[in-house]
Amino acid sequence: MTTQKEPRHLRPPRPPGDDDVRLLGVRHHGPGSARAVRAALDQYDPQVVLVEGPPEADAVVDIAADEGLRPPVALLAHATDEPARSAFWPFAEFSPEWVAIRWALKRGVPVRFIDLPASNSLATRGDWADAGPDEPAGAAPGEDAGPAHAGPAHAGTGDAETEDPVRIDPIAVLAEAAGYDDPERWWEDAVEHRGGAADGGDALAAFEAVAEAMEELRERYGDGGHPRDAVREAHMRLRLREARRAYDRTAVVCGAWHVPALAARTTVAADRASLKGLPKVKAEVTWVPWTHRRLSRDSGYGAGIDSPGWYRHLFGCEDRPVERWMTRVAGLLRAEDRQVSSAHVIEAVRLAETLAAMRGRPLAGLGETTDAVRAVMCEGSDVPLELIRERLVVGDEMGEVPDSAPAVPLARDLARQQRALRLKPEAADRELDLDLRKDTDAGRSRLLHRLRLLGVEWGAPTRSRTAGTGTFRETWRLSWEPELTVRVAEAGVWGTTVESAATAKAEDAAVTAVTLAEVTGLAEWCLLAGLPDALPTVMRVLADRAALDADVLQLAEALPALVRSVRYGDVRETDSGALREVAEGVAVRVCVGLPSACAGLDEDGAAGARPHLDAVHTAVGLLTRAGDELRERWAGTLHALAERYGGITGLIRGRAARLLLDDGLLDAERAARLMGLALSPGTEPRVAAAWVDGFLSGGGMLLLHDERLLGLVDAWLSSVPAEAFTDVLPLVRRTFAGFESGVRRGVGELVRRGTGTAGGSATAPGAAVGFGAGLDLARADAVLPTLRLLLGIAAPVPEGTAAPAPALAGAAAAATTHDDAGGPV
């Protein structure tokens, strides 16, 4: 597209006309720009307001007048047939566009969006000439998405046809021209801290200055590395011409970068030619909640800012912003049990103002307040500052959207269930403990599991440090992100309700699953999510796969999920009889084939098989009761693994022996014999170390209470040849590193004391490392006073002393224990 060039001093900062158009160039999400826009609109009083955004949003802009639409929110545009092809136009409370929209709707003034239609931008997204690695992730069409680092120092100075276009940030360029190395600090000094119309000045003068500055930049840098802007600006000019024909006074609120292009003299034919032939898709637009975190530049949002929470504070404060900010910081730190007093607040305010004066700033900004908080309230530590940044500087504000906003049927059903279950979406991470015996909590669990099945990761199961254990309890970590709205729209292809969509998705996933473990996982998921209609299909596929799968280790991997499904069926009152039959059949096949499957495994293969061995052992214990045939068969399998020396690695043999010992199916005498054979001098040190690793992987407490096993391990380790010790040491170290610190310390103390030779080895018959011949009664008696104090009972009264009070005497008599000789202990 070609525009008519003329000397800069002859080009007006707005389209020619007798005050019929005002171009209000703003910084997206700038509170200073928002205040200036509000003052300019009050002064100019336009008959129509044009805003940068997709024209499809004209149909939903009136919803912005609803008090139920609370920012931060965003316009979501997505392709009707491909919801994943989507884009957002976010608005915060301090966004100039939002202020303009609310100003117009409050006064009954029409609002129109003038950017390139979403039907075109979604169809061409990724096909623009400037698409590539410089495009920030998540930058929405219509936003100035140049990276902040691309300032004039990076701009090319050679032939434009031979150099790659460099994207520039206009704010960074102006800041550097003003002598600032930080664009945010320059913006605060030049815009946020200026009085403007509030001090009686001309509200439109600032926009004239901004237009002149942007005109200078575009004359120097051209499109600034944004080639697609030419198409967008052509459409904006066409919409502006339509408004000028219909209204006498038009106000345009757009990114300051676009102002010179909108003021340029071009022909209608040239602008239409720029738009000719653009691909189109059918698009839908609605309002969705947004968050301050997603407004942050750290999230990848191209037009993002560093401190949305701070900007919201500046926009909402009528006076004394520093004092009010310090008060909020103090309140947050007090809530985190930090000692912060009113004196700290006063001193922090004084220090921030002093720093601003020393740095030549008109008012204290975020940098000064942060330095003051670090020095006064945080005692020089940056750890509390991270909390302040997360909670206040960025913030976890999340907007709200009323029911009147358009939505896909699935989203409406989700919103209905959220209200019914009192499960409100929130941006902040929070932990939710559920008791599945309660109807409301069971409903919440089903909803969260169904959403996860649909790819809407609103919550993730986690372990709770406070809630109890058991199959009737669940703990979730919840956090709602704006992108989940797109996931809900995508999941709408599976059904119009959450339950029907999850059912259809589960059936399709079962048919297309590759491994048996995937199908068993789906069966478990169906029970967790309460999808009885999907279970027949999943069970049919599961039975077919289980019957044909000959890989025993894959069957072992799939069995635990099946058994969990049976248990969940009991807790959630669903019929799991068919699952139990399949689980028992898989368990029998594992029992028969596992010894052969473990034969010939190398060290890596054995390490991969050990978790399956543990999982199957737990699953069989949950699936059966003592005396059941299946449990007896599994015990026989473990005996075969523990006592089979040819072809099975020491890791598997040692682990099988430990499982038998823990279940009481192997007595201490036989366990000691197996350990003695495994650690005999004829066994290679690495094989013996692997056996010890498998045997002790269940925990080292056994060594503290069985002196024979500890002596065997100690004697073996002491006898390892020096040339083999280097190879064995990492294996033994890894084994003992898995013990709790108290167990490691106890084992070390026992070995250090020893009862054998000077080397600490137990060599004498009947001797054991660290264990005495009998109990030390003197040491045992030493704990009695503390024990009585904890139990709240009195000590026995020696003969010849006064009797205690009746109550204490009765308690002492009731709590005193006697030894075999009849004396008190």
Side-chain angles (χ1 to χ4, degrees), residues 310-388:
W310 167 253
Y311 276 6
R312 180 176 182 269
H313 171 78
L314 291 180
F315 184 73
C317 276
E318 297 293 336
D319 61 345
R320 308 178 71 177
V322 177
E323 290 86 343
R324 298 181 188 278
W325 178 259
M326 293 299 185
T327 302
R328 293 182 61 193
V329 171
L332 174 62
L333 294 178
R334 287 171 185 162
E336 296 297 324
D337 294 330
R338 295 188 66 89
Q339 300 299 321
V340 179
S341 66
S342 300
H344 286 89
V345 176
I346 295 172
E347 186 61 30
V349 171
R350 290 175 178 172
L351 180 57
E353 293 174 345
T354 301
L355 289 173
M358 293 176 60
R359 296 169 181 175
R361 305 194 65 183
L363 290 174
L366 181 59
E368 287 70 34
T369 58
T370 300
D371 291 342
V373 167
R374 179 191 291 110
V376 177
M377 299 186 189
C378 301
E379 301 176 347
S381 173
D382 286 337
V383 175
L385 284 181
E386 185 60 30
L387 175 68
I388 295 171

Side-chain angles (χ1 to χ4, degrees), residues 14-22 44-49 109-110 240-251:
R14 60 179 183 270
D18 296 331
D19 207 36
D20 62 337
V21 174
R22 290 291 185 179
Y44 182 58
D45 192 22
Q47 294 176 332
V48 64
V49 175
V109 176
L240 177 57
R241 290 188 182 96
E242 295 175 4
R244 291 180 61 195
R245 287 194 296 267
Y247 301 96
D248 295 331
R249 296 189 307 279
T250 302

Side-chain angles (χ1 to χ4, degrees), residues 518-532:
E518 293 180 28
V519 185
T520 56
L522 274 173
E524 180 183 10
W525 218 334
C526 288
L527 288 173
L528 292 171
L531 302 175

Side-chain angles (χ1 to χ4, degrees), residues 324-652:
R324 298 181 188 278
W325 178 259
M326 293 299 185
T327 302
R328 293 182 61 193
V329 171
L332 174 62
L333 294 178
R334 287 171 185 162
E336 296 297 324
D337 294 330
R338 295 188 66 89
Q339 300 299 321
V340 179
S341 66
S342 300
H344 286 89
V345 176
I346 295 172
E347 186 61 30
V349 171
R350 290 175 178 172
L351 180 57
E353 293 174 345
T354 301
L355 289 173
M358 293 176 60
R359 296 169 181 175
R361 305 194 65 183
L363 290 174
L366 181 59
E368 287 70 34
T369 58
T370 300
D371 291 342
V373 167
R374 179 191 291 110
V376 177
M377 299 186 189
C378 301
E379 301 176 347
S381 173
D382 286 337
V383 175
L385 284 181
E386 185 60 30
L387 175 68
I388 295 171
R389 181 187 180 279
E390 183 72 18
R391 299 277 188 87
L392 296 181
V393 177
V394 175
D396 51 14
E397 292 288 325
M398 182 173 178
E400 296 180 358
V401 174
D403 294 337
S404 56
V408 297
L410 181 62
R412 293 196 179 280
D413 181 66
L414 174 59
R416 179 187 60 79
Q417 293 194 49
Q418 288 170 337
R419 289 192 299 269
L421 297 172
R422 300 189 298 278
L423 200 57
K424 182 180 179 181
E426 296 177 355
D429 288 347
R430 67 186 181 102
E431 196 173 272
L432 179 67
D433 293 321
L434 300 179
D435 185 344
L436 302 182
R437 296 169 297 183
K438 300 177 181 179
D439 292 340
T440 300
D441 283 357
R444 291 172 174 174
S445 174
R446 286 192 294 269
L447 176 62
L448 293 172
H449 281 294
R450 289 170 181 175
L451 291 177
R452 290 191 72 224
L453 183 58
L454 291 170
V456 182
E457 297 286 345
W458 178 16
T462 185
R463 288 181 176 269
S464 174
R465 292 176 293 180
T466 58
T469 58
T471 55
F472 59 87
R473 290 191 178 277
E474 282 184 351
T475 301
W476 292 78
R477 175 71 64 177
L478 302 183
S479 178
W480 184 271
E481 296 290 344
E483 289 81 0
L484 296 181
T485 306
V486 179
R487 301 289 180 268
V488 173
E490 289 181 277
V493 301
W494 297 105
T496 57
T497 66
V498 176
E499 181 177 2
S500 64
T503 298
K505 179 69 177 294
E507 292 175 343
D508 180 77
V511 173
T512 58
V514 177
T515 65
L516 178 63
E518 293 180 28
V519 185
T520 56
L522 274 173
E524 180 183 10
W525 218 334
C526 288
L527 288 173
L528 292 171
L531 302 175
D533 293 340
L535 268 178
T537 301
V538 175
M539 290 304 304
R540 175 176 53 79
V541 176
L542 177 59
D544 294 343
R545 292 287 179 88
L548 298 175
D549 201 328
D551 190 331
V552 176
L553 292 181
Q554 282 196 11
L555 293 174
E557 181 183 0
L559 182 60
L562 277 174
V563 175
R564 287 196 303 268
S565 300
V566 174
R567 297 183 70 209
Y568 290 133
D570 295 338
V571 175
R572 297 164 188 269
E573 299 180 354
T574 56
D575 183 13
S576 55
L579 273 174
R580 176 175 288 276
E581 292 181 5
V582 175
E584 291 176 348
V586 170
V588 170
R589 294 180 62 190
V590 171
C591 291
V592 172
L594 190 58
S596 299
C598 290
L601 290 178
D602 58 10
E603 292 183 0
D604 293 337
R610 180 173 63 174
H612 298 324
L613 183 64
D614 291 343
V616 170
H617 182 73
T618 302
V620 171
L622 295 174
L623 189 63
T624 63
R625 297 181 179 180
D628 287 355
E629 180 183 354
L630 179 57
R631 180 172 292 195
E632 297 296 333
R633 178 171 290 186
W634 173 244
T637 301
L638 291 178
H639 277 291
L641 291 172
E643 299 176 4
R644 182 173 174 179
Y645 298 98
I648 297 183
T649 64
L651 182 67
I652 298 298

